[in-house]
């Protein structure tokens, strides 16, 4: 186990931020290519078990060890529609200030100059999962745009549209934003250590609300780092072996 005097890695701050955003959920689902959100969910589960609190169920698509679904996305969608998934993660090639995400491509559809994998079930899950956390480690103007080129999943809906789900927060490599559903826009909640407000403002293509002096994202405490660098990395290695190996290598380099 690594010494606890080692400073947290930037990705460890992201993982712990996600774990805190998930606090209070019963069941969190994670996509097949989301190692940092998965680590956040695993950290929350480990912290709850250590504290003797109510257990947290995790479903990671593509995992054998951490997935009780036997029919993939079909069961995921059924479970979400029945209200049995409290949190999910979505990303996007583009995300705008209203919480709209674009998973299709850049340019006027269908003549997109750049094509991405597609929307899949993002719109459905965005409507039925109460706590959708948007996550994108890259924080640049090409990702965070004033208006997405294509709406794969809308952040808000017209009055009278029944919707139990929607954006809860946005976590990037530079900061944490909360989504105000009444105003339909983001508010900067905190800035990650090592970054600044000016840096975030320059890298964000949409306007957002903020305090005069936004706070700093809390760093992981000793208990969080202990679990993250031990149990959580061991669990991650089953589904994301390359990511777990990279994290361990990074910790070795700062030792």
């Amino acid at each position: 186990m690594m010494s606890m005097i080692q400073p947290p890695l930037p990705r460890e701050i992201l993982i712990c931020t996600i774990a805190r955003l998930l606090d209070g959920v019963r069941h969190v689902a994670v996509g097949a290519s989301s190692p940092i959100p998965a680590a956040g969910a695993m950290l929350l589960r480990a912290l709850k078990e250590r504290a003797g609190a109510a257990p947290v169920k995790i479903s990671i698509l593509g995992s054998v060890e951490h997935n009780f679904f036997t029919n993939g996305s079909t069961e995921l969608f059924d479970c979400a529609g029945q209200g049995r998934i409290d949190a999910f993660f979505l990303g996007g090639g583009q995300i705008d200030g209203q919480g709209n995400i674009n998973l299709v491509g850049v340019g006027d559809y269908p003549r997109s100059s750049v094509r991405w994998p597609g929307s899949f079930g993002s719109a459905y899950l965005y409507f039925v999962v109460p706590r959708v956390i948007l996550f994108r480690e890259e924080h640049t103007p090409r990702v965070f745009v004033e208006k997405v080129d294509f709406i794969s999943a809308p952040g808000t809906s017209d009055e009278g549209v029944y919707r139990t789900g929607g954006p809860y927060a946005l976590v990037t490599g530079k900061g944490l934003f909360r989504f105000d559903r009444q105003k339909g826009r983001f508010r900067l909640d905190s800035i990650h250590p090592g970054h600044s407000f000016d840096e975030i403002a320059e890298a964000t293509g949409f306007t957002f609300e903020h305090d005069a002096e936004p706070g700093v994202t809390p760093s992981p405490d000793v208990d969080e780092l202990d679990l993250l660098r031990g149990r959580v990395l061991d669990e991650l290695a089953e589904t994301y072996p390359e990511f777990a190996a990279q994290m361990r290598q990074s910790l070795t380099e700062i030792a």
Side-chain angles (χ1 to χ4, degrees):
M1 184 173 63
M2 298 294 175
S3 169
M4 292 300 102
I5 63 172
Q6 289 177 261
L9 299 169
R11 283 182 166 177
E12 290 179 322
I13 293 173
L14 298 184
I15 292 168
C16 291
T17 299
I18 288 172
R20 291 165 185 161
L21 288 171
L22 291 172
D23 193 22
V25 305
R26 303 161 301 166
H27 182 188
V28 53
V30 184
S33 302
S34 303
I36 291 177
M42 289 175 175
L43 177 58
L44 177 68
R45 178 173 62 183
L47 287 166
K48 294 300 183 183
E49 288 184 9
R50 175 176 282 187
V56 175
K57 182 184 291 292
I58 302 175
S59 299
I60 302 176
L61 296 181
S63 172
V64 175
E65 182 70 23
H66 309 285
N67 184 11
F68 74 92
F69 295 137
T70 58
N71 194 23
S73 59
T74 300
E75 288 177 286
L76 169 66
F77 296 152
D78 286 346
C79 198
Q82 293 162 6
R84 296 192 290 125
I85 294 179
D86 302 309
F88 189 70
F89 299 89
L90 287 175
Q94 291 179 332
I95 299 173
D96 67 24
Q98 288 72 52
N100 300 315
I101 64 173
N102 175 10
L103 292 160
V104 169
V106 177
D108 293 331
Y109 181 82
R111 295 181 176 86
S112 305
S113 58
V114 176
R115 290 300 300 268
W116 297 318
S119 303
F120 191 49
S122 58
Y124 174 74
L125 293 171
Y126 218 12
F127 270 72
V128 299
V129 177
R131 196 179 303 190
V132 177
I133 297 172
L134 304 181
F135 175 75
R136 187 67 197 262
E137 192 171 9
E138 177 188 342
H139 191 144
T140 64
R142 74 170 187 170
V143 174
F144 298 107
V145 297
E146 181 178 2
K147 183 178 180 181
V148 296
D149 292 344
F150 182 92
I151 298 178
S152 293
T156 60
S157 299
D158 293 335
E159 185 177 352
V161 174
Y162 180 72
R163 179 173 185 171
T164 57
Y168 178 73
L170 165 65
V171 179
T172 80
K174 300 182 187 297
L176 165 64
F177 297 80
R178 301 276 187 166
F179 192 76
D180 186 328
R181 295 191 185 183
Q182 294 297 318
K183 295 182 178 180
R185 61 186 305 181
F186 287 106
R187 180 181 183 84
L188 180 63
D189 188 84
S190 65
I191 300 170
H192 300 332
H195 299 282
S196 67
F197 175 81
D198 289 343
E199 182 184 352
I200 289 178
E202 184 177 352
T204 308
F206 58 77
T207 59
F208 53 87
E209 296 186 345
H210 57 86
D211 291 337
E213 295 185 11
V216 177
T217 305
S219 292
D221 61 28
V222 172
D223 286 342
E224 289 170 328
L225 285 178
D226 178 43
L227 288 169
L228 179 51
R229 294 173 175 179
R231 170 179 168 172
V232 172
L233 280 186
D234 290 341
E235 291 179 345
L236 270 178
E238 182 265 344
T239 311
Y240 305 104
E242 184 175 346
F243 179 84
Q246 289 174 353
M247 290 290 289
R248 289 195 171 102
Q249 178 62 35
S250 296
L251 288 168
T252 300
E253 291 172 355
I254 66 171

